[in-house]
Amino acid sequence: MSTTVKSRTPTKELARSGGADDDSGQEMMFLNGSDTVTTSSGDTQSLRPTPRALAAEAGPSRSHPPVSLGLPKSVVNDVVLQVAEPLPERQKWDNKLQFMLSAIGYSVGLGNVWRFPYLVQQNGGGAFLIPFFVMLLLEGIPLFLVELALGQKLRQGSLGAWNIIHPWLGGLGIASTLVAFLVGLYYNVIITWCFYYLFNSFQSPLPWSTCPLDSNGTAVRECTAATETAYFWYRTALDISPSVDQPEGIKWWMALCLLLSWIIVYFITMRGIQSSGKVVYFTALFPYAVLTIFFIRGITLKGAGAGLAHMLQPQMHKLLDPTVWLDAATQVFYSFNIGFGSLIAFGSYNPPRNNCVKDTLILSVCNAATAIYASIVIFAILGFKAVRSYDLCVQHDKGLIGERFPGLVVNGSLSDEAYANFLEFREESKDLGLRGCNLEAIMNESVEGTGLVFIVFTQAIVELPAAPFWAILFFLMLLALGVGSQIGTLEGVISTVFDIQIVRGARKEVVSAAVCIISYLIGLLFVTGSGEYWVKIFDSFAGTTGLIFIALLESIAVMYIYGHRKFSQDILQMTGHMPGPYWQITWRFVGPVLISVLLVASIIYRSFDKPAYYAWNADEGKSLLTPYPQWVLIVGGLLATLSVLPIPVVFLLRRFQFHRLDTDINKGVIRRNETTISTKQMMTDVDEYGDNAIEEEDEEEALDRLEMTTSNRTFTIGHRDEH
């Protein structure tokens, strides 16, 4: 006897129970949880027998090993699963180099240039490298391998991957996609700013090298109160508003640059890795060429040695500060882009037998080395700028002293020795308005993010001979870094959207266009007068605590729900090597503990430190720390909640089987391990590790789970009568 369940669409069998004789004449219409049956005579009756009666009636089939669906073996042996239509063939990398460059371009981003040097400067110089490498070994590398191997084994994007591991975890894929989408919104605005500066670099002198003149022929007061580069950034480029409460409309020049950014990103990603894979040869390699050019030029500049000494000089006492270790863990976490789902998508395009462990080690070393290399270049240039600023400061003070005390002037100038003695022993030095020049103090002026790139570094570029050439090179490098990371982020979003059942039949060009158009329209918020403030709001709330929480759940799900032994066996199958004690300890214990500490620390920080932002004050020519208004905190809370909300929502929908509310998002796709490369899944046919969870599971709960995971699918449940 067998019972066939049909839907209204043509079907294709993916697995078949051998030897089942169809002698019942019954056809069950099982649509959205329906439990009625239409017999051959046209009558309708209930098809839902008690679970234990069904299990008792089913006899064991010997045609193939049982599929490990988490069901009682008496039921699993005779499961035949069908889907309504075949899945599209999974895309593949053209070659190994293309994958490596794509992963490098994704993980090596703007944070390596404008975040890591700041952390080195703030957290003990060379001593910061100790906690950085410790966190790299204990947190970054193990989690990187988890996501990469997960995608390679499952052959799915983030959405499909977590649904396969367990349907209740389907919200993880949605959550990581939402975070990637929100981060992609404002990350492309940074690319927009780079385009604007690049276009303005094709002129000499550079427009941020001097203050503009007003109608009276004098320098604009706002510029003289600040600096030339700060004025160009805040007033010319952003035309920034005084506070986040005053948007002051869309700035058309930035809106056009934003449109250009999204058009370029679309043409790169419109066909998935078939199009983006060609671009990575430029976006991944060009930044290294530019860094090398800047390195050669930088180390030849006066003051480069002082900058490098300031960077590398270790302050070992800083290692006793817990915030230094927390900063190192946070930097490693975000520099590897863990939790966005993009690494899972990248891994899914690899061959099943690719050595993902070797890839992880190479990419991790490349990421860390790039951050250090970029820091050396940055500090060499900043050392040049600091020494030049110090020389100008000393020249100013010597001029004042010479005017007041002409007797100290010898041969038309004040010697360095006389200047130092005057500052140390003469009380008059306090009344002359001297600046009190100190090279170490200038070197300690720390700045990160947009301030480092668009204010401090652009000021250093102005001091270089042939400044426009260096400006063009620098912003081309930033564009390559930004676009490379944006490609990876958007690939995580598009691959997930493409895995949704109702979208799967659409052309990828159309899906990519829809995502880019929606992103551009939302992104217009970031090119208003308060746009930079909104970038900081999204950066602070959308992609911080929620991302850490997602990574923690991912680690727990793979190690303790799917199982660390099964995952290790999958690594063995793909690479030929069983993961050793280092991997086991970091995966199962150290990694989850470190992420938990990061999560708790982030929550405590948010709770006790009221969020604030730097608002530009045109009268004083500087940014002032200003508390966020209450409505911004509400918006920030909504952004943080939105990034993790799908996790409990999907769990509740599937735990309590709200079929009509639970959208079909690839949750019914369960395929056997012997299918084609493009459909091969992590679900193994036999539990090779002797777990008894299947036999011990309650049959009624297991049958309910089978119904849940195959809702809106066509399948056959059959068994053989034993005589």
Side-chain angles (χ1 to χ4, degrees):
M1 171 183 177
S2 68
T3 307
T4 303
V5 184
K6 292 185 177 179
S7 72
R8 296 170 182 170
T9 57
T11 64
K12 177 181 178 181
E13 291 191 0
L14 296 179
R16 181 176 300 277
S17 171
D21 298 321
D22 189 355
D23 56 6
S24 67
Q26 291 183 331
E27 294 182 353
M28 296 192 297
M29 304 302 294
F30 196 82
L31 300 172
N32 292 325
S34 174
D35 59 354
T36 60
V37 62
T38 302
T39 64
S40 56
S41 60
D43 299 327
T44 301
Q45 64 185 51
S46 173
L47 61 82
R48 192 180 293 275
T50 63
R52 297 191 181 276
L54 178 60
E57 184 182 9
S61 172
R62 305 298 180 188
S63 60
H64 59 76
V67 179
S68 180
L69 294 173
L71 296 170
K73 289 186 176 179
S74 57
V75 176
V76 171
N77 286 350
D78 299 295
V79 170
V80 176
L81 189 65
Q82 298 173 319
V83 295
E85 69 282 327
L87 295 174
E89 182 74 14
R90 194 73 179 173
Q91 289 183 321
K92 304 173 188 177
W93 301 107
D94 290 344
N95 50 65
K96 182 64 171 287
L97 180 61
Q98 189 181 84
F99 159 69
M100 297 297 288
L101 292 179
S102 297
I104 290 173
Y106 171 60
S107 58
V108 177
L110 295 172
N112 296 76
V113 174
W114 69 25
R115 174 68 176 168
F116 186 79
Y118 164 80
L119 292 177
V120 171
Q121 183 181 20
Q122 285 291 96
N123 294 306
F128 179 72
L129 298 180
I130 296 175
F132 174 73
F133 280 111
V134 169
M135 294 303 173
L136 182 72
L137 291 173
L138 299 182
E139 174 196 20
I141 296 177
L143 293 177
F144 193 93
L145 178 57
V146 166
E147 291 203 358
L148 208 59
L150 194 66
Q152 181 173 317
K153 185 65 180 180
L154 291 176
R155 320 294 296 160
Q156 286 284 312
S158 179
L159 184 62
W162 297 112
N163 277 296
I164 290 172
I165 287 195
H166 198 291
W168 293 358
L169 298 175
L172 266 176
I174 304 175
S176 61
T177 302
L178 278 176
V179 171
F181 176 72
L182 293 174
V183 170
L185 288 177
Y186 72 82
Y187 202 87
N188 219 39
V189 178
I190 300 174
I191 299 175
T192 298
W193 296 338
C194 293
F195 268 122
Y196 182 80
Y197 267 78
L198 176 65
F199 296 150
N200 280 275
S201 298
F202 289 91
Q203 52 185 303
S204 182
L206 291 171
W208 56 81
S209 61
T210 57
C211 286
L213 303 179
D214 58 19
S215 57
N216 298 323
T218 58
V220 175
R221 182 178 179 278
E222 183 181 359
C223 183
T224 56
T227 62
E228 296 86 351
T229 53
Y231 176 83
F232 185 86
W233 167 243
Y234 286 111
R235 184 56 54 211
T236 306
L238 301 180
D239 192 16
I240 199 167
S241 63
S243 71
V244 70
D245 292 306
Q246 305 174 47
E248 295 186 352
I250 295 175
K251 310 305 175 182
W252 63 267
W253 57 93
M254 281 297 177
L256 290 179
C257 290
L258 180 64
L259 179 62
L260 174 64
S261 300
W262 278 113
I263 289 176
I264 291 176
V265 169
Y266 166 71
F267 279 108
I268 293 175
T269 61
M270 66 177 182
R271 298 179 61 192
I273 62 172
Q274 292 180 358
S275 53
S276 65
K278 308 298 188 296
V279 180
V280 297
Y281 291 97
F282 172 79
T283 59
L285 297 177
F286 181 73
Y288 290 98
V290 175
L291 280 176
T292 302
I293 295 173
F294 268 99
F295 172 76
I296 296 173
R297 183 67 182 99
I299 60 176
T300 63
L301 296 172
K302 179 184 177 182
L308 295 178
H310 181 76
M311 168 193 168
L312 298 175
Q313 182 180 1
Q315 303 173 37
M316 303 306 293
H317 67 277
K318 288 276 192 178
L319 298 181
L320 300 177
D321 187 353
T323 59
V324 173
W325 293 84
L326 187 62
D327 282 344
T330 305
Q331 172 64 19
V332 169
F333 183 85
Y334 289 115
S335 66
F336 277 80
N337 292 317
I338 297 169
F340 288 99
S342 299
L343 291 175
I344 297 178
F346 277 14
S348 69
Y349 304 136
N350 275 328
R353 302 295 181 183
N354 175 64
N355 193 334
C356 52
V357 175
K358 182 179 179 181
D359 294 345
T360 297
L361 296 177
I362 294 175
L363 293 171
S364 300
V365 171
C366 183
N367 193 325
T370 303
I372 296 173
Y373 187 36
S375 297
I376 291 174
V377 174
I378 294 294
F379 273 96
I381 302 295
L382 293 183
F384 159 74
K385 173 185 172 295
V387 169
R388 185 171 179 82
S389 298
Y390 174 78
D391 290 343
L392 291 175
C393 177
V394 170
Q395 183 179 351
H396 171 270
D397 284 0
K398 285 183 176 181
L400 292 179
I401 296 173
E403 291 177 3
R404 182 71 177 271
F405 302 96
L408 298 177
V409 178
V410 178
N411 296 326
S413 65
L414 187 69
S415 66
D416 292 339
E417 182 180 358
Y419 171 68
N421 290 334
F422 184 87
L423 293 179
E424 185 174 357
F425 299 110
R426 299 290 291 268
E427 291 293 331
E428 295 90 338
S429 63
K430 300 178 181 178
D431 303 323
L432 293 179
L434 301 180
R435 298 177 180 177
C437 311
N438 187 299
L439 180 60
E440 188 67 21
I442 297 175
M443 294 292 297
N444 284 328
E445 292 177 357
S446 58
V447 65
E448 64 170 325
T450 56
L452 174 62
V453 171
F454 297 110
I455 298 177
V456 175
F457 207 84
T458 52
Q459 186 176 354
I461 289 176
V462 168
E463 307 293 341
L464 293 173
F469 169 77
W470 298 107
I472 292 170
L473 269 186
F474 180 67
F475 289 109
L476 279 176
M477 179 190 72
L478 292 184
L479 280 173
L481 289 171
V483 170
S485 296
Q486 181 72 350
I487 290 171
T489 302
L490 205 62
E491 180 61 34
V493 176
I494 295 175
S495 66
T496 298
V497 173
F498 207 66
D499 280 342
I500 300 177
Q501 181 70 22
I502 59 176
V503 179
R504 192 178 297 139
R507 296 177 57 187
K508 199 150 191 174
E509 293 90 337
V510 176
V511 176
S512 300
V515 171
C516 290
I517 291 173
I518 294 173
S519 300
Y520 172 73
L521 294 177
I522 299 176
L524 290 175
L525 171 68
F526 303 113
V527 294
T528 61
S530 59
E532 195 211 16
Y533 306 141
W534 279 106
V535 169
K536 294 178 179 177
I537 291 171
F538 271 67
D539 187 47
S540 298
F541 293 98
T544 52
T545 306
L547 196 63
I548 299 174
F549 181 66
I550 290 171
L552 176 62
L553 290 185
E554 286 184 357
S555 180
I556 294 174
V558 174
M559 292 299 111
Y560 297 101
I561 297 179
Y562 179 72
H564 69 92
R565 288 180 295 177
K566 293 182 180 180
F567 186 70
S568 299
Q569 191 68 19
D570 293 329
I571 298 292
L572 173 63
Q573 179 185 356
M574 291 187 292
T575 67
H577 301 282
M578 177 67 76
Y582 161 73
W583 298 107
Q584 301 294 339
I585 294 173
T586 53
W587 281 338
R588 298 171 60 189
F589 308 112
V590 179
V593 169
L594 283 178
I595 300 176
S596 299
V597 170
L598 276 180
L599 180 62
V600 172
S602 177
I603 294 174
I604 293 176
Y605 174 79
R606 298 286 180 193
S607 302
F608 290 95
D609 187 48
K610 187 176 181 180
Y613 70 107
Y614 282 94
W616 178 250
N617 187 299
D619 295 329
E620 298 186 28
K622 62 181 180 180
S623 297
L624 303 177
L625 190 63
T626 307
Y628 279 120
Q630 190 64 35
W631 68 269
V632 171
L633 297 180
I634 295 175
V635 172
L638 292 176
L639 286 174
T641 303
L642 179 64
S643 62
V644 298
L645 187 62
I647 298 175
V649 169
V650 172
F651 169 78
L652 293 175
L653 287 176
R654 294 180 177 177
R655 173 62 181 86
F656 299 103
Q657 301 182 35
F658 297 115
H659 296 288
R660 297 181 184 276
L661 300 177
D662 187 10
T663 304
D664 184 4
I665 45 176
N666 205 24
K667 62 181 179 296
V669 182
I670 303 176
R671 293 183 289 277
R672 294 176 55 81
N673 216 24
E674 291 81 16
T675 56
T676 64
I677 291 178
S678 63
T679 59
K680 197 169 188 178
Q681 300 298 326
M682 190 178 275
M683 307 294 283
T684 55
D685 285 340
V686 182
D687 186 352
E688 302 172 0
Y689 306 98
D691 293 341
N692 295 321
I694 294 179
E695 288 123 1
E696 295 171 357
E697 184 176 6
D698 182 82
E699 296 183 21
E700 183 172 356
E701 179 181 349
L703 285 171
D704 289 340
R705 183 142 58 93
L706 175 63
E707 177 183 335
M708 176 178 64
T709 58
T710 53
S711 175
N712 292 327
R713 297 282 177 175
T714 303
F715 64 94
T716 301
I717 299 179
H719 58 81
R720 178 187 300 172
D721 288 331
E722 299 287 347
H723 300 288

